[in-house]
Amino acid sequence: MIALTFDDGPSKYTPEVLKVLKENDSKATFFVVGSQVERFGDVLNQVIEDGNEVGNHSYNHKDLTTVSDEELYKQVKGTDDLIYIASGYTPTLMRSPYGKGGDELNEKISKPVIKWSVDTRDWESRNTEMIVDEVIKNVKDGDIVLMHDLYDSTAEAAKIVIPKLVEMGYQLVTVSELSAYRDITLTPGQQYYNMYK
Ligand SMILES: [Zn+2]
């Protein structure tokens, strides 16, 4: 089992990712930013309707290790509220922008904080072939894979990677599903990089 995660959306590319997930009976987790939710509320609803998971990724992708407690509260709670207003859904998971922060920040966030074990660096390469290679070469059972549904190159990579992983015998599930299958209790204030057996 693998948990694919897509950050920084929803965007105009998200529907392409949703389509290939659906065609392959697969699910993923989307860590959304509040400012994008304001623009792409209809896409967010499609993410949820298709059975995917939505996580909180701050309001405007600030480094949360540098903000005041008041600003942190706004970034987290404000984004939860925007997601709820747009969709009626409240995320249980958080991913901090840039994967920053340790125990102190995680405790203040008061949600399970999800990091990753495979980094496609898709934002850097913007190269479909390189993104596909990063996933296929490195992936193993229990991995959490980081991608961004903000780029055309990533949407194109998803169209190759998702059927390929299914063909390799992997089930693509949400982070919460993966943790449940692995009997891992997701605890607020704790962080998780993978769900290995
Ligand atoms: Zn991000």
Side-chain angles (χ1 to χ4, degrees):
M1 283 185 197
I2 305 285
L4 298 179
T5 65
F6 294 91
D7 290 11
D8 300 359
S11 85
K12 63 176 179 176
Y13 299 112
T14 311
E16 295 178 48
V17 177
L18 292 176
K19 184 166 178 278
V20 67
L21 283 168
K22 200 172 190 176
E23 285 168 357
N24 288 275
D25 290 322
S26 296
K27 307 281 186 277
T29 303
F30 293 78
F31 288 96
V32 301
V33 296
S35 57
Q36 292 292 106
V37 168
E38 287 175 325
R39 294 176 59 201
F40 295 96
D42 51 341
V43 178
L44 178 76
N45 276 286
Q46 193 63 52
V47 169
I48 296 163
E49 204 173 294
D50 287 358
N52 299 291
E53 182 160 24
V54 171
N56 186 323
H57 193 46
S58 83
Y59 175 71
N60 57 358
H61 215 269
K62 264 197 187 160
D63 176 352
L64 299 179
T65 60
T66 66
V67 303
S68 67
D69 285 357
E70 192 190 355
E71 169 76 10
L72 176 66
Y73 182 81
K74 280 191 206 159
Q75 289 276 343
V76 178
K77 180 67 166 63
T79 299
D80 273 355
D81 289 350
L82 283 170
I83 292 167
Y84 183 78
I85 291 162
S87 67
Y89 179 102
T90 304
T92 55
L93 306 178
M94 176 87 190
R95 175 174 281 157
S96 308
Y98 314 102
K100 285 212 176 179
D103 293 346
E104 199 188 332
L105 179 66
N106 293 341
E107 268 170 39
K108 286 181 190 169
I109 287 170
S110 310
K111 290 178 185 287
V113 174
I114 309 301
K115 298 206 167 173
W116 56 84
S117 48
V118 174
D119 186 354
T120 62
R121 301 193 74 81
D122 56 342
W123 55 274
E124 192 176 51
S125 74
R126 310 275 183 102
N127 179 302
T128 299
E129 200 181 325
M130 285 173 76
I131 299 164
V132 171
D133 279 358
E134 283 300 323
V135 178
I136 300 304
K137 271 191 214 154
N138 296 312
V139 86
K140 58 189 172 302
D141 188 36
D143 268 326
I144 299 173
V145 179
L146 173 63
M147 289 188 274
H148 297 80
D149 53 328
L150 202 55
Y151 309 112
D152 185 35
S153 46
T154 299
E156 291 305 313
K159 292 174 195 172
I160 300 167
V161 157
I162 290 167
K164 179 77 182 164
L165 290 173
V166 169
E167 190 191 304
M168 288 164 76
Y170 288 113
Q171 264 180 281
L172 306 184
V173 296
T174 68
V175 170
S176 288
E177 286 168 343
L178 183 57
S179 69
Y181 287 126
R182 293 288 143 92
D183 282 327
I184 294 168
T185 305
L186 295 173
T187 307
Q190 299 294 309
Q191 60 185 18
Y192 303 85
Y193 289 90
N194 61 64
M195 307 270 168
Y196 299 150
K197 267 182 193 159

